[in-house]
Amino acid sequence: MAFIGVALSIFIIYRVYVWLQSSPRSFMKDQIPFNKVIIPHPSIDILEDEGYEVVGGKLKIPLSFNVNGAQMYSRLFIDYVATKEEGSLYLVILSRPRKPLDFTGSGLRDTLLPYLLIYPECSGVLYVNVATASIHVIKLGKDDGESN
């Protein structure tokens, strides 16, 4: 009987360990790739002044599309990965003079939705405008259907 009790205890401890490893926090850290090379940029100072910690450098996300049998390729770029509090990871996108972000619903959707769909576990996107030293925190929400 003692042997069965010890075996059952070991099994329960093992299952709790597996469950904790698959919790959303550990899952998030496994899903968003991290580039340990962080290239210095003025945007890092702006992020740190606002309480963010940059934990990852530039990422290139390769995309592949099959259109009528023809393979097409593209990629998305993430400038940094940052965190503010335990368990929150933000994708950082820097403003570009030749490609400004249109702060309308459709502009945000067209520009940022791919990032938020590829990494739904992230806390949001930080859009950093270095020229104005501003950070826009953008999180994906769901429309309740009541807005016009």
Side-chain angles (χ1 to χ4, degrees), residues 25-38:
R25 256 190 209 148
S26 64
F27 177 76
M28 181 165 53
K29 290 180 181 171
D30 291 342
Q31 291 295 88
I32 296 177
F34 286 95
N35 179 359
K36 298 294 182 187
V37 179
I38 300 172

Side-chain angles (χ1 to χ4, degrees), residues 19-20 25 28 32 41-42 49 58-59 67 72 77-78 89 107 110-111 121 125 128 136 144 146:
W19 176 72
L20 288 174
R25 256 190 209 148
M28 181 165 53
I32 296 177
H41 190 272
D49 289 344
K58 191 171 195 76
L59 297 171
V67 180
M72 296 184 179
F77 293 97
I78 297 172
L89 288 174
D110 294 344
T111 306
E121 64 277 359
V125 172
V128 180
H136 300 278
D144 60 0
E146 294 182 14

Side-chain angles (χ1 to χ4, degrees), residues 41-99:
H41 190 272
S43 61
I44 294 176
D45 295 331
I46 296 170
L47 288 164
E48 289 174 349
D49 289 344
E50 292 294 322
Y52 294 96
E53 177 188 359
V54 176
V55 294
K58 191 171 195 76
L59 297 171
K60 179 171 72 169
I61 304 160
L63 302 172
S64 173
F65 303 94
N66 188 327
V67 180
N68 296 328
Q71 209 61 17
M72 296 184 179
Y73 302 95
S74 186
R75 58 202 153 292
L76 289 173
F77 293 97
I78 297 172
D79 294 302
Y80 297 103
V81 177
T83 184
K84 189 164 189 171
E85 53 195 40
E86 182 64 33
S88 68
L89 288 174
Y90 293 90
L91 307 177
V92 179
I93 307 297
L94 301 180
S95 64
R96 306 273 192 274
R98 295 188 333 191
K99 191 177 179 187

